[in-house]
Amino acid sequence: MKKNKEILLKNNGVKIHEQINVVGQVYVTDYSRLENAEGQRDLKAKGIKELSESIAEYGICTCPIVVKHNRKYIVVDGWHRISVAKKKDLDIVCTLVEPSCTINDLMIILNTTQINWNPEAYLNNGIVYHKNKDYIALRQIWEDTGLNLGALYEIFSNDMGSTRAKSLFEKGEWVITTKQLGNKVIRYVEELNQYISFSYKTNFVRAFAYCVAKKGFKIQQLINQCKKYPHKIYDSGDSVTGHRDMINKVYNNCCLEEEQVYLGK
């Protein structure tokens, strides 16, 4: 049986971020000393498989990042690597840091910088760490509809703009501000799907939310126009502006002036 051992390999005082000091590297054999940070993203089977194959082939595992708390090391980045190393009965070297912020803020700084987190990870963090009721409500909507999570948090906070919504969502501070609009968009894209086959696509949903929010917009008007002029419907791919323009053209095609509502940008 291995003797539990912990060795500080290096102490160089390097500063990798204004709120993060590197203390050194710790050689760890006792995995009971390692604990995943609260609110961390969930383990993914694909990530475990790819890491396991990579370590088997190359014999290399980059250092997870940890913060010492009492007699534990809280893992803020690298839980997948630790899980694989533990299964393979390998010792592991971790980078030990001292943050001047909370562990959760540190975790987000690291994962934002390395582009490791996706909207699902931030959603989980908002639920587990921040215990934000609006994230819990959003998760239910996301699971029920299957729509893109990024598009969903945007349409349910449509009044704050996509950049601010993203920033708040990643900080755990996001709130639902346009619930009625979000619910309308979800219902309407379902109704439109028999006429617009790509109505569930992420950037169509983003563009459509902009149109639904316009004063005077009527879903029945758009449905009637889709029935009359199916040849005017086209997929603008990743272009949100292109989808808006298409919806605007279909909605107002051959309409009386008093019936028209400008839905473009």
Side-chain angles (χ1 to χ4, degrees):
M1 184 175 180
K2 286 185 179 179
K3 181 181 178 181
N4 292 336
K5 161 167 76 167
E6 168 195 322
I7 304 171
L8 182 64
L9 300 177
K10 189 177 181 182
N11 190 336
N12 54 19
V14 172
K15 201 173 184 73
I16 59 174
H17 184 275
E18 61 182 10
Q19 298 186 75
I20 308 170
N21 283 320
V22 175
V23 175
Q25 291 180 305
V26 180
Y27 178 70
V28 179
T29 63
D30 181 4
Y31 277 83
S32 69
R33 301 286 301 281
L34 298 170
E35 182 177 298
N36 200 16
E38 183 183 24
Q40 182 61 278
R41 60 177 177 161
D42 295 332
L43 289 173
K44 299 293 183 184
K46 182 181 178 183
I48 294 289
K49 180 176 181 292
E50 290 176 350
L51 270 172
S52 185
E53 291 173 350
S54 176
I55 291 172
E57 182 173 357
Y58 301 108
I60 297 172
C61 179
T62 56
C63 296
I65 299 175
V66 300
V67 175
K68 193 167 187 179
H69 180 67
N70 297 327
R71 289 187 54 77
K72 294 280 188 179
Y73 289 103
I74 309 302
V75 182
V76 293
D77 184 69
W79 194 246
H80 281 78
R81 281 166 276 169
I82 286 169
S83 298
V84 172
K86 182 178 179 181
K87 285 181 180 178
K88 291 180 176 291
D89 196 29
L90 302 173
D91 300 337
I92 195 163
V93 175
C94 300
T95 297
L96 177 63
V97 301
E98 287 181 348
S100 59
C101 57
T102 67
I103 286 178
N104 193 71
D105 287 342
L106 168 64
M107 190 163 55
I108 291 175
I109 288 169
L110 290 171
N111 285 289
T112 300
T113 302
Q114 299 173 39
I115 322 178
N116 283 338
W117 277 21
N118 57 19
E120 182 180 353
Y122 288 111
L123 177 69
N124 180 65
N125 185 259
I127 293 170
V128 175
Y129 181 80
H130 294 283
K131 297 176 174 55
N132 187 317
K133 62 182 177 57
D134 286 358
Y135 285 65
I136 296 171
L138 182 66
R139 179 175 62 183
Q140 190 61 58
I141 295 167
W142 179 49
E143 291 175 350
D144 289 345
T145 65
L147 293 175
N148 178 271
L149 184 55
L152 282 174
Y153 74 66
E154 286 180 22
I155 66 176
F156 277 90
S157 57
N158 193 67
D159 56 348
M160 66 178 68
S162 59
T163 301
R164 178 163 172 74
K166 181 176 184 292
S167 175
L168 291 176
F169 190 74
E170 293 178 355
K171 291 177 182 177
E173 300 172 3
W174 176 85
V175 292
I176 293 174
T177 57
T178 53
K179 182 177 181 180
Q180 186 176 15
L181 173 66
N183 287 336
K184 280 183 179 179
V185 171
I186 289 171
R187 190 180 75 197
Y188 292 168
V189 294
E190 183 177 355
E191 292 176 7
L192 282 173
N193 193 248
Q194 61 179 305
Y195 311 107
I196 302 176
S197 61
F198 48 89
S199 69
Y200 292 119
K201 282 191 174 181
T202 301
N203 286 321
F204 178 86
V205 173
R206 287 189 168 111
F208 185 55
Y210 176 91
C211 299
V212 175
K214 283 277 192 172
K215 184 178 180 179
F217 173 86
K218 296 178 181 177
I219 185 59
Q220 195 55 53
Q221 164 78 359
L222 180 57
I223 289 174
N224 291 340
Q225 291 290 89
C226 287
K227 291 177 181 178
K228 287 182 183 178
Y229 309 108
H231 58 285
K232 295 286 186 181
I233 298 170
Y234 57 88
D235 188 346
S236 293
D238 293 332
S239 173
V240 175
T241 301
H243 284 300
R244 285 179 188 165
D245 290 341
M246 184 277 291
I247 296 168
N248 180 64
K249 289 173 184 175
V250 173
Y251 190 95
N252 294 303
N253 190 55
C254 297
C255 286
L256 297 174
E257 187 173 342
E258 59 268 24
E259 296 175 337
Q260 295 184 8
V261 178
Y262 182 65
L263 304 175
K265 188 173 180 180

